[in-house]
Amino acid sequence: MAGSPPVGRTSVSAAVNPDRLWHRHLAIARIGATGRGGVNRQALTPEDAEARRQVLAWAAARGFTASVDAIGNLFVRRAGSDPAAAPVVSGSHLDTQPTGGNFDGIFGVLAALEVLDAAEEAHIQTRRPLDLVIWTNEEGARFQPTTMGSAVFAGALPLAAALDTLDGRGVSVKAALAEALAAAPVPDRRPFGFPVAAYLEAHIEQGPILEATGMTIGVVTGIQGLRWYRVEVTGEEAHAGTMPLAQRRDALLAAMEMVQGLRELMADPSDTVRFTVGRFEVQPNSPNTVCGRALFTIDFRHPHPEVLARLGDRVEAVCRAHARGCAVEVAETLHSPPTAFSPVVAGLIRAAAERHSLPYADIVSGATHDAKHLAGLCPTGMIFVPCARGISHNEAERASPADLAAGTRVLADVVVELANQ
Ligand code: GLV
Ligand code: MN
Ligand code: MN
């Protein structure tokens, strides 16, 4: 392919340092470590801020400049020869699930940093700047919705709405962000939605396909669609020993039947539908009081928009059909259609994998990613590497140093190639 850097002494990918990449993963894994092999580094916590500080220190040691926008998305720049040219941006997130692993998100950040370091060490001057980005609150575990920082950057979520979002303890994004930025200060400000020449994100697959098929590189062609709902069921608290069953308005019982009804709605012999009730809260949560209030979340995903619409649009009716006399409120908190990535960027990823003799295959992402918001702004692509048994959002998440290095080499080649266009 014209303009492709050769794999050799002078290429950026040859300067990728697998040891440095791996040791940085180990260093970040210590921040928020749970002691059970994983991490709890939820968005805008002191642990998230500490991880940001560590990346900023690595960047400062190279003389790279840093800036931050009003939702806390953090950018690190290696300058290009044309200061007016839009940057090629690459990165991911540092926040994790409450019982998260050591690779989801972090790999994309450290791979992008490795590309900047490798370009520096190989004395490669790109025309465009190379920007590393750390998106704020990708996980959506502490503050909903997921991919908050990139959504605000892309104009898909108003800044004010994001800042007003509360966590389970009533702390706002605004307050938590101020604390995180005080703990990991970045003086330079960056506007939202500045021109981006291309966006690349490296990530572990978080599913079992690459490992099962013996592939090292997943060329991500897009991301399946996602709808989130919050269901609140209000019944009436009553004494467990005295209130006859027929006279109860038991919110827990109603919520359980709703979940069963939804499982029937989502039943799919092809096993393509993804349906998860990941949060379930009851009040007063006492053994001898009939439940007065139940709250649960629904995460529903599918690659095809018509299935996403057909099944998703029936969620509220199914919940109401199982109300058992309780009041029901169903709020759709996220509706993210399927995303298609740039065929041009996918072609560059395939060509780079081929030059490195790495087995590769096209793949649609089951997980959602910040890249979906960038795809509407600029040519966008993602590079997946395998993770053991497809396990992710789990402290047992594992990826091999060799696969992480391979994905980073492919990323490096594609980023530098795009930065010279
Ligand atoms: C992001 O982690 C997702 O929920 O897909
Ligand atoms: Mn992730
Ligand atoms: Mn995740």
Side-chain angles (χ1 to χ4, degrees), residues 235-250 283-284 286-292:
E236 187 177 43
E237 293 176 12
H239 195 291
T242 58
M243 184 59 79
L245 266 57
Q247 290 175 38
R248 292 183 183 188
R249 286 192 294 129
D250 185 330
Q283 280 175 6
S286 166
N288 48 357
T289 298
V290 173
C291 173

Side-chain angles (χ1 to χ4, degrees), residues 93 95-97 104-105 138-140 146 203 206 367-369 392-393 397:
H93 59 99
D95 68 314
T96 72
Q97 292 287 317
D104 175 3
E138 189 275 347
E139 291 290 3
T146 172
H203 210 284
Q206 304 184 271
T368 200
H369 299 283
S392 181
H393 284 193
E397 185 181 87

Side-chain angles (χ1 to χ4, degrees), residues 140-188:
R142 178 181 180 193
F143 299 106
Q144 290 80 55
T146 172
T147 64
M148 179 180 272
S150 53
V152 174
F153 180 85
L157 176 67
L159 173 64
L163 292 175
D164 285 347
T165 304
L166 303 179
D167 71 5
R169 294 188 175 147
V171 178
S172 67
V173 166
K174 189 176 178 181
L177 179 60
E179 276 188 33
L181 292 182
V186 181
D188 285 352

